Amino acid sequence: MSQHRGLTGQSIALVAVFAAFIAAASMVPGIELLGGVPLTLQTFAVVLAALVLGPWRGLAAVAVYLLMGLFLPVFAGRASGLEVLVGPSGGYLIGFLLAAVVVGGLAQLGARMGRLRGSVRATFWLVGSGLVSIPVIYAVGAPWLAYRLGLPMLPGPDCSGLLDIDCASGVTLGVVPFIPGDILKVVVAGIVAAAIHRAYPGLLGAARRVTAASSAAPSDQEDEAARATA
Amino acid sequence: MITLLGIYRPARTPLHLAPAWFKMLMLLGISIASLAISDPVTSLGILAASLLLLASTKPPLKATLKGMALITVLAVMAAGFQIWLGDYVRALDLAGDLIAISALALAVTSSTSMAQMMDLVVALARPIRWILPPETLGLLVALTLRAIPEAAQILTESRVAARARGLERDPRAILIPSGARTVGFALQLGQALHARGIAEHGRSSRRDPAPERDAETEAPAPLLAEPPVREMPSEEIPEVPKLSRRERRRQG
């Protein structure tokens, strides 16, 4: 019975809509911040999906998004197809899968431990969970990028400046330029996820535990659906 | 605003007629081979073969060039780095591999329709069909396709609303409404699915009938009232009177 938990209409709708949200966020132009720096939303949407849906539904949403990418131009820069997945930057997309499980698991854990009740506590916990995604994504993406482009993983010993060619490496080209933007995106994703959990408690099963303790009702998936919208 | 047209065009080239599993296996095999073999001659051979395969599928020119442009730039940069290091052989090998795998993947994408790819995915998901039955997978993909314009519209509307308040540079003002409306839309969609009994069908057919009845009799009135029609065994009741009428006609 428990293995069919992910199969209710509610979960299917959440997974499908969040896969679509990741796709849409990858396609719409980024938000311009104060300095005119564009903020693309793909990583934001992946982390948000994991924080809102938990590990398995988050993984399913990212997987469906990658599946969509095989036919539709839903990857970053309106790219599509297998060539993105097998290309040098495909490791980041695979890293999204792993990150969804890890981040979603942490968010789920927070919900189980009751860390998502207060607004400030929930924001801190969710931002902290989301930040874990950054090392996970780069741990998969950057070595693959370095391997495919024939770069060393770490910068050479003669590395002195940003424009020095000795510095061309997996870390300096594939990680460092994106870290500030990623931290910003994850923080925003944590704030948004906290607002969503405030608006719809029970998405991660926290409200279910509370109500199940107060009234020993048979907790079915249908009831969870009702509580999520209550 | 957003085109959802991939690179696939229907045609009758050899690659279009080849089965999807064969093309994916070919892509996987050639990718691994070209990455494992660090011989520039083999690399260039695979590159030529991949480009010919790509040309044989008659892909749309503009989209193909756009797809290949980025990887070519990357390959030139990677090769330039190796040449700067003085390793010409590795430069050829790397650039050849990058472009070859990309061209091959593009050939597969441009010759495989979405339906064929979905059939392959369903076949691959067969070992886990107790978690993810094929009809659920199809429903997921169909719902996602439908929800992409919806999600894009939610994002755009939130952005317009934030701009109207003069907050277009505040990510929170755009993204909190977007996220909340997305979840709200998903929950409404889930209720609509539930009301039609769509995703419940496969689940209840695999579940034992006895505990289901117990749960129904023990449970208090559910918050989401289920339509009583759905609970009726729809095959038996309409058929019984029909049979009896026919029998009556035969007898009479």
Side-chain angles (χ1 to χ4, degrees):
Chain A
M1 178 72 195
S2 63
Q3 69 257 31
H4 297 311
R5 219 186 137 231
L7 279 185
T8 59
Q10 196 75 49
S11 293
I12 287 175
L14 279 168
V15 166
V17 170
F18 265 90
F21 182 69
I22 301 172
S26 308
M27 286 194 289
V28 298
I31 296 169
E32 282 210 355
L33 299 176
L34 277 176
V37 188
L39 182 75
T40 54
L41 297 177
Q42 188 184 33
T43 321
F44 160 80
V46 170
V47 174
L48 183 70
L51 287 177
V52 170
L53 300 183
W56 305 119
R57 289 183 296 184
L59 172 71
V62 177
V64 170
Y65 162 65
L66 294 184
L67 184 63
M68 287 288 116
L70 293 186
F71 338 105
L72 307 176
V74 296
F75 290 145
R78 306 255 175 115
S80 74
L82 282 166
E83 63 273 12
V84 181
L85 276 180
V86 299
S89 60
Y92 296 108
L93 295 175
I94 306 300
F96 284 160
L97 288 173
L98 202 56
V101 177
V102 175
V103 171
L106 282 172
Q108 180 90 278
L109 187 71
R112 294 246 167 92
M113 286 160 52
R115 290 286 167 86
L116 301 186
R117 287 211 196 109
S119 134
V120 178
R121 272 209 307 178
T123 308
F124 271 111
W125 180 267
L126 291 170
V127 168
S129 315
L131 285 175
V132 178
S133 73
I134 295 177
V136 172
I137 291 174
Y138 286 110
V140 181
W144 179 247
L145 179 84
Y147 170 65
R148 290 299 303 278
L149 294 183
L151 298 169
M153 193 55 215
L154 293 170
D158 304 329
C159 178
S160 53
L162 267 182
L163 297 175
D164 194 345
I165 201 159
D166 274 323
C167 294
S169 71
V171 171
T172 45
L173 288 181
V175 179
V176 173
F178 307 111
I179 286 286
D182 274 350
I183 291 177
L184 186 62
K185 283 175 221 177
V186 167
V187 169
V188 174
I191 293 171
V192 173
I196 288 176
H197 282 303
R198 219 157 43 236
Y200 300 98
L203 279 173
L204 284 177
R208 179 183 170 151
R209 270 172 63 91
V210 173
T211 43
S214 61
S215 67
S219 58
D220 205 0
Q221 284 80 32
E222 284 79 6
D223 294 350
E224 185 194 359
R227 278 183 206 121
T229 48
Chain B
M1 182 189 76
I2 287 170
T3 58
L4 283 182
L5 193 58
I7 199 176
Y8 171 75
R9 301 286 182 276
R12 293 190 62 80
T13 69
L15 267 189
H16 278 82
L17 297 176
W21 62 266
F22 173 76
K23 285 182 275 192
M24 293 298 282
L25 210 60
M26 176 187 76
L27 175 65
L28 195 68
I30 294 184
S31 302
I32 292 173
S34 77
L35 285 178
I37 301 170
S38 53
D39 172 33
V41 180
T42 321
S43 236
L44 291 180
I46 292 176
L47 170 63
S50 305
L51 286 176
L52 280 178
L53 271 178
L54 175 60
S56 82
T57 63
K58 299 178 193 160
L61 189 64
K62 204 175 158 191
T64 313
L65 287 181
K66 196 187 138 207
M68 293 300 291
L70 181 67
I71 195 74
T72 311
V73 169
L74 269 176
V76 166
M77 277 168 52
F81 179 72
Q82 295 300 326
I83 289 173
W84 180 81
L85 286 179
D87 197 345
Y88 296 92
V89 175
R90 192 159 154 68
L92 271 181
D93 179 45
L94 268 176
D97 284 356
L98 278 172
I99 300 180
I101 293 175
S102 194
L104 203 60
L106 212 55
V108 173
T109 313
S110 73
S111 67
T112 312
S113 73
M114 185 166 180
Q116 287 173 314
M117 203 75 97
M118 275 314 296
D119 285 347
L120 180 68
V121 170
V122 166
L124 287 178
R126 177 157 274 220
I128 56 161
R129 64 182 177 276
W130 54 278
I131 308 177
L132 195 67
E135 65 266 19
T136 306
L137 193 58
L139 181 67
L140 259 178
V141 170
L143 283 180
T144 308
L145 277 177
R146 174 63 190 89
I148 287 175
E150 202 77 33
Q153 192 187 357
I154 287 174
L155 273 169
T156 314
E157 282 178 5
S158 304
R159 187 175 298 199
V160 169
R163 191 182 304 144
R165 288 178 285 152
L167 293 173
E168 75 263 32
R169 283 168 197 277
D170 183 359
R172 280 185 310 167
I174 301 172
L175 295 175
I176 288 182
S178 303
R181 281 186 64 191
T182 304
V183 174
F185 173 65
L187 293 175
Q188 282 177 354
L189 190 63
Q191 285 190 339
L193 288 179
H194 178 71
R196 287 158 182 78
I198 287 177
E200 326 284 320
H201 184 70
R203 189 172 55 118
S204 57
S205 69
R206 270 188 307 283
R207 204 197 284 166
D208 294 334
E212 191 176 15
R213 263 182 227 148
D214 285 345
E216 273 168 18
T217 47
E218 281 171 18
L223 286 171
L224 286 170
E226 297 179 9
V229 184
R230 201 169 71 81
E231 301 299 327
M232 289 208 306
S234 55
E235 297 102 356
E236 293 175 26
I237 289 177
E239 278 179 17
V240 171
K242 269 184 197 167
L243 278 173
S244 64
R245 271 178 209 158
R246 276 178 207 159
E247 282 172 359
R248 262 182 237 152
R249 278 175 203 159
R250 275 181 208 157
Q251 286 168 359

